Amino acid sequence: MNAFLAILRKDLILELRGGRSTTALVSLALLVLVVLTFALDRTAGGGPATAAGALWIALVFAGMLGATRVMVAEHENGCLRALLLSPVDRAILYAAKLTASTTFMIAAALAATIMAMLFFNLEFSDSLVTLAIALILGALGFSALATLLAAISIRARGGELLLPLLIVPLFVPALIAGVKASAAALSGAPLAAAREWVGILVAFDVLFIAAGYLLFEHVVGEE
Amino acid sequence: MNRRLYGALGLSALTAMLVALYMVFVWVPTEADQGIVQRIFYFHVPCAWVAFASFGLVAIAGIFYLWMGAQIWDDLGYAAVEIGMLFCTLVLITGSLWAKPIWGTWWTWDSRLTTTFVLWLMYGGYLMLRTIADDTQQIARFAAVIGIVAALDVPVVIVSVRLWRTIHPAVLVTRQGGHGLEDPRMVVTLLVSLAAFTLLFAWLLLLRFSELRMRTRLAALAREIALARFRAGAA
């Protein structure tokens, strides 16, 4: 637990001082939203469904950037090797990296949600709780996958190219569920309406956090 | 070592394939509602079966590789994923060709179709990883991890897409929505076709697997020779 907190604290302090990841994540999420507001026909009555889709696309793009940052920073300075040499359980390392990456993604999701509501002329309603739940679960699930796969992509030649090809198809179920739940939330439906979708998100998160937790050791290997 | 086995397998696959072709094009009656197009069915379903079996094998091989670390499991996974991709592509193509006249569209985001397409994309990424990278030991471990994660993803995709909409016939050998096989000859043809494709799958797998095994042994030999040379030089 101490090791977990130490690694997490280090990542958060790094972020608070430099702030590169979150700034990049938020900026990218906003840019994607701006592009989508122009690309999509907002007047055609897409409404909440379109906004939910745009929001999740922004989240996926931001996540792709953020997840690699958390691992790349370690890799670049040779810190990953030092971390692996220290007597820290690889699963703890995974959990810490996952938490850090999820935190940054939630920050990006928050900014993106506010902007999406403005861009798509959505009203703030009580069902924002559903939206928040969906986005947090989505960020967690994405990070669970991305932390595992980023550890692969920073080591394989041509890996950065590969990362989106690996993450996006794997993330599809969470994406479907997340978009559906968010669309329900944005159209003012109560939490019960999105229960099934939220259930899928929870199942996805549990499954892939467990998988990442168990498999991370094999990815970072003996080095 | 396996020469006789895959000779026999290849021959029986060929024979079964010819029998299946005869049955599909000549023997089996034309389905009443869909006409001649329905005959795609006898290729479409076996292709799907082979694709799913291959991807299942990839996950199993991945688990065993991480568990035991023997190169043989990696070779098996690699061979299976290639065959899986080939047949998954064939499923998508034959499905599209069938969907156009029957559903009036090449593609629709129905649950079965979406799941299969996502599967195709996932293993496409897996295959890219294997072709782009070179460090074999490390990549074998990565590939095993991705193979397992992808297999875990499939049930979740299926569940999430099920809640959506579906027009693909769900159950095959029952009378539902005009897709029932009302003639017993259709069932027999399907079974023969499945058997033929299974034999083809086994043959292709064995062929590719033995090739990969040989490559592994060659690499080991090359290492041994290099080591022997180095020692001779040092002495």
Side-chain angles (χ1 to χ4, degrees):
Chain A
M1 205 57 204
N2 274 336
F4 170 79
L5 288 177
I7 298 169
L8 182 61
R9 204 173 127 241
K10 184 218 70 178
D11 273 347
L12 293 181
I13 287 176
L14 256 178
E15 194 51 39
L16 284 175
R17 296 211 176 132
R20 281 188 317 187
S21 298
T22 314
T23 321
L25 249 71
V26 171
S27 317
L28 185 68
L30 295 187
L31 277 175
V32 171
L33 273 179
V34 170
V35 168
L36 286 173
T37 41
F38 285 115
L40 300 170
D41 186 7
R42 280 167 298 148
T43 50
T50 317
L55 196 54
W56 279 79
I57 293 173
L59 194 68
V60 166
F61 273 83
M64 219 104 76
L65 193 73
T68 30
R69 286 307 315 165
V70 174
M71 290 306 291
V72 165
E74 297 283 7
H75 192 62
E76 272 172 356
N77 307 319
C79 300
L80 189 61
R81 180 159 295 170
L83 263 180
L84 292 173
L85 282 172
S86 67
V88 175
D89 192 349
R90 272 91 173 105
I92 299 285
L93 178 59
Y94 175 75
K97 288 286 159 197
L98 168 66
T99 316
S101 142
T102 311
T103 313
F104 305 151
M105 262 187 92
I106 289 174
L110 185 68
T113 310
I114 295 170
M115 294 317 274
M117 296 216 124
L118 289 172
F119 291 170
F120 288 90
N121 296 319
L122 294 164
E123 289 183 12
F124 291 83
S125 67
D126 302 338
S127 52
L128 270 180
V129 179
T130 316
L131 185 66
I133 291 173
L135 286 173
I136 289 170
L137 287 173
L140 190 58
F142 192 91
S143 300
L145 271 179
T147 308
L148 183 68
L149 297 177
I152 290 178
S153 78
I154 53 171
R155 281 137 170 275
R157 196 161 49 86
E160 2 23 294
L161 187 77
L162 221 54
L163 190 65
L165 289 177
L166 292 172
I167 291 187
V168 175
L170 286 169
F171 190 63
V172 159
L175 185 71
I176 294 171
V179 169
K180 292 283 171 184
S182 309
L186 288 173
S187 56
L191 181 57
R195 212 178 46 219
E196 273 177 331
W197 299 114
V198 171
I200 289 180
L201 279 171
V202 172
F204 183 90
D205 287 5
V206 169
L207 194 62
F208 285 100
I209 290 171
Y213 198 78
L214 291 172
L215 294 173
F216 194 67
E217 192 185 339
H218 296 289
V219 169
V220 289
E222 295 81 32
E223 314 168 50
Chain B
M1 55 165 183
N2 292 323
R3 179 157 297 178
R4 188 170 292 172
L5 178 60
Y6 58 65
L9 253 180
L11 205 65
S12 47
L14 181 70
T15 319
M17 219 38 141
L18 289 174
V19 173
L21 277 174
Y22 171 78
M23 288 172 88
V24 169
F25 285 106
V26 183
W27 186 68
V28 81
T30 306
E31 211 253 353
D33 293 336
Q34 303 185 20
I36 194 99
V37 191
Q38 191 264 344
R39 287 172 203 258
I40 287 183
F41 171 77
Y42 307 109
F43 298 105
H44 182 66
V45 173
C47 282
W49 146 244
V50 171
F52 296 147
S54 302
F55 291 148
L57 202 58
V58 174
I60 294 169
I63 291 170
F64 275 95
Y65 182 74
L66 290 184
W67 184 16
M68 304 188 189
Q71 182 62 33
I72 190 166
W73 294 109
D74 181 51
D75 291 338
L76 183 66
Y78 197 175
V81 83
E82 286 183 338
I83 297 169
M85 267 309 267
L86 170 68
F87 282 90
C88 199
T89 312
L90 287 174
V91 173
L92 293 172
I93 292 172
T94 51
S96 260
L97 289 175
W98 191 5
K100 183 64 181 162
I102 302 301
W103 296 339
T105 173
W106 295 109
W107 185 263
T108 172
W109 293 103
D110 141 273
S111 69
R112 193 71 68 90
L113 276 66
T114 310
T115 324
T116 313
F117 186 53
V118 169
L119 211 59
W120 190 81
L121 287 175
M122 284 193 305
Y123 289 95
Y126 173 108
L127 214 54
M128 290 280 283
L129 175 81
R130 302 216 78 144
T131 44
I132 285 181
D134 44 10
D135 179 10
T136 49
Q137 277 252 316
Q138 197 177 45
I139 291 306
R141 230 171 32 227
F142 293 167
V145 167
I146 294 171
I148 295 167
V149 172
L152 290 177
D153 203 42
V154 175
V156 195
V157 192
I158 292 174
V159 174
S160 61
V161 177
R162 271 288 145 76
L163 291 172
W164 230 353
R165 52 198 162 178
T166 185
I167 58 171
H168 192 285
V171 191
L172 288 166
V173 198
T174 52
R175 290 155 182 273
Q176 263 191 351
H179 286 282
L181 303 171
E182 55 278 295
D183 195 299
R185 275 177 293 177
M186 290 179 172
V187 181
V188 175
T189 309
L190 176 63
L191 290 176
V192 170
S193 203
L194 275 172
F197 271 80
T198 308
L199 284 169
L200 180 67
F201 168 50
W203 181 62
L204 285 174
L205 187 71
L206 194 64
L207 215 58
R208 185 75 176 112
F209 176 63
S210 336
E211 194 209 324
L212 288 169
R213 289 305 297 155
M214 252 183 259
R215 208 177 59 176
T216 307
R217 269 198 290 167
L218 261 179
L221 270 178
R223 261 201 310 277
E224 238 168 73
I225 291 171
L227 196 65
R229 280 218 181 115
F230 175 75
R231 276 189 186 139

